[in-house]
Amino acid sequence: MNATMTSEETKHQPVMLDQVLSIISPQHGGTFIDCTFGGGGYSSAILKFPNTKVFAIDRDETVKKYAGNLIEKFPKRFNFFQEKFSNLGKIFNSKSKLNPKAIIFDLGLSSFQLSDHERGFSFNSNNPKSFLSMKMGINKYSAYDVVNNLDKKDLTNIIKILGDEKDGKHIANKIVESRTEKKIKTPKDLVDIIAKAKKRYNKYKKNPATKTFQAIRVYVNKELTELIYGLIEATKLLSNDGILLVVSFHSLEDRIVKYFFNFYSNLKGNPSRYLPSENNNTALFKVLSKKSKTPEISEIKKNIRSRSAKLRYAIRNEDLFFYPEELKKKFIKYLSLENSKI
Ligand SMILES: C[S@@+](CC[C@H](N)C(=O)[O-])C[C@H]1O[C@@H](n2cnc3c(N)ncnc32)[C@H](O)[C@@H]1O
């Protein structure tokens, strides 16, 4: 992607598509829920097979144009909802009617979002139209609101924990110092502040703004809360043999997904020992491989964005459901951080 590209010119390449298709096997037909429609890469690939149906969700209004193309092409087999996936249960309230063969999450940003400079997701953006928004869609506030208003302590914790950034305190201090002089409006304003806070800015292998941008984006979109509730709702919707598949892009997401599958499949270290004894041996999922799958080198060469992808999936084992209180307890730090008020 280069700095002058518009979102229309950038194409989103679906990540690990071949692996996803081989796990969910749409060639045998069935109903699928694509929780992160994006450019529709997964949905289109599934719909190529006859006897498939796709219900797609995305919180981003701008993807409606891509969804519209599929609705025209497959009016009886494709449906789109502009919603957050934590609301899966509100969109589909009857499990028995739908019986999805698989529910898929491909987390994070699409190339369209990243390259749309007006949305301010990219720290490479020097475009004068750029605004520090970082909203994926259906948000309460923007990154601009966060960096200009959030108190120093919360800002520090968000950058430290959601960005895994050891210099979180310095960066938060500099943000607070700068905003008293002038509002922080653009990605470049923020990059300049981070550069002042990080010593030897140019010596880093990765762009030193990467972690702070991730932290603020995750907070603005409540991405970890969304993931936790999205997984829980998907579990409720799946019947026996239904597949839950997640492609994640950073370690916080992968930690949640891994723990979620371990918890519900009674794998070693399962904290369900705290649950009432009747639930103790009830595995709601079967996990076929404890190890995550990663993209082939050939894919990474073609699409650098895929390099950090991790795919995990599990197969629904029981029709009953019990609430994973332990999961919420385990990740309470993330849930309460994302709930910090501006
Ligand atoms: C990586 S892209 C998906 C790309 C898609 N698989 C494809 O092949 O074109 C992720 C998409 O998920 C959407 N998204 C992220 N979090 C969401 C949430 N909580 N609810 C609904 N959509 C979400 C984003 O707006 C983005 O369009």
Side-chain angles (χ1 to χ4, degrees), residues 12-15 34-43 57-60 63 83-86 106-113 119 136-137 221-223 226-227 249 305:
H12 180 90
Q13 294 180 41
V15 169
D34 178 356
C35 292
T36 48
F37 178 75
Y42 290 178
S43 288
I57 298 169
D58 203 299
R59 63 191 292 174
D60 188 346
V63 310
E83 248 305 350
K84 293 191 285 187
F85 52 59
S86 57
D106 174 21
L107 302 171
L109 292 175
S110 67
S111 305
F112 304 118
Q113 291 167 324
R119 298 177 75 169
M136 283 183 178
N221 296 290
K222 302 203 181 309
E223 289 179 39
E226 276 295 309
L227 176 58
F249 289 87
R305 194 186 155 265

Side-chain angles (χ1 to χ4, degrees), residues 4 20 27 43-44 66 68 70 72 102-103 105 113 126 163 220 228 239 261 269 281 295 309-310 316 324:
T4 53
V20 170
Q27 66 275 22
S43 288
S44 317
Y66 309 114
L70 286 183
E72 247 175 54
I103 302 186
F105 293 81
Q113 291 167 324
N126 246 329
V220 166
I228 290 171
S239 311
F261 284 149
N281 299 315
K310 282 197 170 153
R316 194 75 161 87

Side-chain angles (χ1 to χ4, degrees), residues 304-319:
I304 189 68
R305 194 186 155 265
S306 68
R307 72 190 180 285
S308 45
K310 282 197 170 153
L311 186 161
R312 293 186 189 271
Y313 72 102
I315 300 167
R316 194 75 161 87
N317 192 39
E318 286 277 350
D319 275 339

Side-chain angles (χ1 to χ4, degrees), residues 129-143:
K129 279 191 184 162
S130 276
F131 172 67
L132 206 51
S133 161
M134 299 198 194
K135 291 180 182 175
M136 283 183 178
I138 323 180
N139 297 75
K140 288 206 175 114
Y141 38 71
S142 63

